[in-house]
Amino acid sequence: MSNERMILPKQMIQQETPFQDASGNPLWTGQYYNEGVDNDYFDKLKEECGVFGVFGHPEASALSFFGLHALQHRGEESAGICTSDGKNFYYHRNMGLVKEVFDNERLQYLQGSAAIGHVRYSTSGESKLQNAQPLVFKFRGGDIAIATNGNIVNAEEIRKELEDGGSIFQTTSDTEVVIHLIARSKQRDITLAVKEALQRIVGGFAFLILVNDKLFVAQDPNGLRPLSIGRLGEAYLFASETCAFETVGGTFERDLRPGELLIIDQSGMTEDRFAPMVQRSICAMEFIYFSRPDSDIDSLNLHLARKRMGRQLAMEAFVDADVVTGVPDSSISAAIGFAEQTGIPYELGMIKNRYTGRTFIQPSQELRERGVKMKLSAVRKVVEGKRVVMIDDSIVRGTTSLRIVNMLREAGAAEVHVRISSPPYKNPCFYGIDTPSRDGLIAANRTVEEIRIAINADSLHFLSKEGLLEAIGRPVGEVNRGMCTACFDNEYPTFVNDEATAGCGSC
């Protein structure tokens, strides 16, 4: 078997067999096919969670429904909305997509002009209803609800301290520690209690905290997780991504500042802080993959940023080919940029079917394999006999890349050259992105050449970190416009327990 091009038999893909080089030495011992198609075929990073908030609008629940629908890509496991009429809370949450959880009857029940909503992908805490957000509690000050995107790095330590002091937790979500900190605060003023609680926690987070007559909005001191402010008439809007404002007819005002605490009540919005900005470190993967291409971060449109990543990748790793195609949907913008820079035609070489459902429930291996092909298929007339450049945004475990490369070969591609619009993903995230342990990341202990062989590509190149920063326009060391690139370079902006091996997140 030649190192230059391995045609892997189907049984190697289907078993837990490690990839091997030409001499039979294992290249990577990661697990490949024992967790079902959904968990294994699309081994992409999970899109954390999304939050949406409204204050001062009579149709707060309906706006939240549409806002959450725009953020559905950030979490497809559960959805919830909590509203307040100034005196009472009304809330509903359940497992499933936004359109499955809410209907007209439920939305009409959610009365009030203030609301917070959440879509969830669980990365810490079990996947069950009790962990669905917003979390809603009663305490001495009345009702309180919280919705979060991110992860509290020191949650386990705080939770143990609180439990030793008599606190009884209702969920396994690390978001709940914030509620307990607020409830146990000796501060009688709710604003001071919220500030005190936020000062105890470390990590990357964006919070919406609703009490009967106030809404608190906060972002971590490093600005790791995105959160923006919008307006709709006199009402205030808050969302994980700006695309949600467009959906509800609102307008973008500004991004939240790291360490900022906003207090919104009937008198308007008060700008405060619970911590100074340490170093702006917004997650690089928001630019590369997570956020919708029609969203903006720091006034930078993500579709255009991803096109520049593709252009930069073409300048760093040109290859003579016949066609460029992107893995749908997140890599299409970068693929267009690569094609424009090289002059190689961009074609729709792969089609993603969004209506296949959860194929892992199929009763046999053969049917599961059919389920995989139902989710993503190659356009044979586009790739047959062609030298194909396949653009993707990242390689996590390598399983997806292997199957896509083989799928293109089965469709008749003469060559498959893989170009990745981000640097090698080598380190787990501790700020709310679900990643495998370092041992589960194929780039953590393997060279680019070893990865190329493992995914059966004719060539493989990753965008350099310098090229990524250039494309996004985030100079290294610029305090107000910095990024977290820890997944690429192991330089975490906060203290983390780097011995932890699992992905983490409060959602």
Side-chain angles (χ1 to χ4, degrees):
M1 185 181 295
S2 169
N3 270 6
E4 293 303 311
R5 179 171 170 180
M6 295 198 308
I7 305 299
L8 298 178
K10 283 189 176 181
Q11 61 266 29
M12 177 174 259
I13 301 173
Q14 295 172 358
Q15 296 172 354
E16 297 176 30
T17 308
F19 285 118
Q20 299 175 340
D21 63 18
S23 302
N25 300 312
L27 286 170
W28 185 54
T29 56
Q31 200 164 332
Y32 270 80
Y33 203 99
N34 68 334
E35 296 179 357
V37 172
D38 269 32
N39 294 332
D40 191 49
Y41 182 78
F42 288 99
D43 67 343
K44 290 292 189 181
L45 302 170
K46 299 301 183 180
E47 289 92 334
E48 327 147 7
C49 299
V51 297
F52 187 86
V54 182
F55 195 94
H57 197 285
E59 296 182 272
S61 62
L63 291 177
S64 297
F65 171 84
F66 289 111
L68 292 179
H69 192 270
L71 301 175
Q72 186 72 85
H73 60 285
R74 299 185 71 89
E76 301 181 4
E77 193 170 88
S78 66
I81 297 173
C82 176
T83 63
S84 173
D85 62 7
K87 295 181 180 179
N88 301 300
F89 270 13
Y90 307 85
Y91 64 95
H92 178 71
R93 56 187 182 167
N94 211 335
M95 308 302 289
L97 302 176
V98 175
K99 66 180 181 179
E100 297 167 343
V101 172
F102 296 100
D103 55 23
N104 285 332
E105 183 178 350
R106 290 190 174 96
L107 290 174
Q108 288 173 5
Y109 162 75
L110 299 173
Q111 303 173 40
S113 61
I116 61 173
H118 190 266
V119 288
R120 179 179 190 252
Y121 170 74
S122 64
T123 51
S124 135
E126 299 166 271
S127 174
K128 55 185 180 182
L129 182 58
Q130 71 178 37
N131 287 331
Q133 295 189 25
L135 301 179
V136 181
F137 299 90
K138 287 186 178 294
F139 78 121
R140 67 176 187 272
D143 295 322
I144 186 168
I146 186 169
T148 315
N149 172 29
N151 174 59
I152 302 171
V153 174
N154 61 339
E156 186 176 345
E157 171 191 334
I158 296 175
R159 185 182 183 114
K160 184 178 185 306
E161 173 192 321
L162 290 167
E163 288 178 331
D164 289 345
S167 292
I168 299 174
F169 281 76
Q170 304 300 311
T171 75
T172 57
S173 169
D174 64 358
T175 301
E176 191 179 346
V177 302
V178 178
I179 297 294
H180 284 268
L181 288 172
I182 294 171
R184 292 173 66 90
S185 173
K186 295 180 180 179
Q187 301 286 351
R188 309 313 298 177
D189 180 87
I190 184 63
T191 300
L192 295 177
V194 169
K195 289 177 73 172
E196 183 179 85
L198 294 174
Q199 288 164 356
R200 285 288 313 276
I201 61 177
V202 176
F205 51 80
F207 284 122
L208 299 180
I209 303 172
L210 182 66
V211 296
N212 295 92
D213 58 351
K214 287 184 176 66
L215 174 62
F216 297 95
V217 184
Q219 185 185 53
D220 68 87
N222 293 98
L224 282 153
R225 300 268 67 88
L227 191 59
S228 298
I229 307 168
R231 295 297 297 268
L232 179 59
E234 297 299 312
Y236 291 93
L237 306 175
F238 304 92
S240 294
E241 293 185 35
T242 60
C243 64
F245 300 148
E246 293 281 345
T247 299
V248 301
T251 56
F252 167 77
E253 291 281 304
R254 67 174 176 88
D255 295 305
L256 220 69
R257 302 181 183 101
E260 187 171 28
L261 173 64
L262 302 178
I263 306 100
I264 304 93
D265 57 23
Q266 294 300 327
S267 63
M269 185 172 74
T270 302
E271 298 178 0
D272 199 353
R273 303 195 68 82
F274 69 92
M277 180 175 69
V278 180
Q279 160 68 55
R280 182 71 186 276
S281 303
I282 191 164
C283 173
M285 292 306 296
E286 292 286 351
F287 293 90
I288 297 165
Y289 170 62
F290 287 130
S291 295
R292 264 176 41 169
D294 55 336
S295 288
D296 299 339
I297 297 178
D298 293 342
S299 301
L300 178 70
N301 174 256
L302 296 180
H303 165 66
L304 297 178
R306 289 168 188 168
K307 279 185 65 177
R308 288 196 294 273
M309 292 176 209
R311 287 182 172 275
Q312 183 67 32
L313 183 58
M315 290 186 281
E316 293 182 5
F318 173 81
V319 60
D320 192 16
D322 303 307
V323 64
V324 175
T325 191
V327 177
D329 290 311
S330 59
S331 304
I332 291 176
S333 298
I336 293 171
F338 190 99
E340 289 179 351
Q341 182 66 32
T342 60
I344 302 170
Y346 170 80
E347 292 286 356
L348 197 64
M350 289 173 280
I351 300 294
K352 181 179 179 181
N353 188 341
R354 295 167 177 79
Y355 308 101
T356 55
R358 295 176 64 80
T359 56
F360 73 89
I361 65 173
Q362 299 294 344
S364 70
Q365 179 63 44
E366 181 182 357
L367 289 177
R368 279 196 293 264
E369 283 296 307
R370 290 181 187 174
V372 168
K373 292 183 178 181
M374 286 172 62
K375 287 198 168 188
L376 191 67
S377 59
V379 182
R380 180 175 292 274
K381 295 298 184 182
V382 169
V383 303
E384 191 171 27
K386 303 290 181 60
R387 297 168 297 170
V388 178
V389 180
M390 184 195 93
I391 308 294
D392 205 353
D393 50 72
S394 59
I395 297 180
V396 183
R397 298 174 182 86
T399 52
T400 295
S401 300
L402 169 66
R403 288 192 171 104
I404 294 175
V405 170
N406 279 353
M407 179 183 68
L408 291 169
R409 293 197 188 285
E410 289 173 6
E415 298 174 6
V416 181
H417 301 275
V418 178
R419 295 295 183 267
I420 306 298
S421 59
S422 67
Y425 200 106
K426 298 180 178 181
N427 308 291
C429 178
F430 298 90
Y431 305 118
I433 298 174
D434 182 35
T435 54
S437 67
R438 188 170 279 107
D439 290 341
L441 296 167
I442 194 171
N445 299 297
R446 299 291 172 245
T447 66
V448 173
E449 175 61 11
E450 288 173 332
I451 299 171
R452 179 195 71 78
I453 296 170
I455 66 171
N456 198 19
D458 289 281
S459 69
L460 169 67
H461 285 276
F462 294 84
L463 181 63
S464 68
K465 176 183 168 182
E466 294 72 23
L468 173 68
L469 296 175
E470 176 69 24
I472 297 176
R474 291 296 186 273
V476 177
E478 188 174 325
V479 173
N480 292 323
R481 296 170 67 82
M483 283 198 315
C484 175
T485 53
C487 52
F488 310 131
D489 57 23
N490 203 35
E491 295 179 5
Y492 295 94
T494 72
F495 168 79
V496 296
N497 177 12
D498 205 11
E499 294 179 357
T501 57
C504 48
S506 61
C507 301

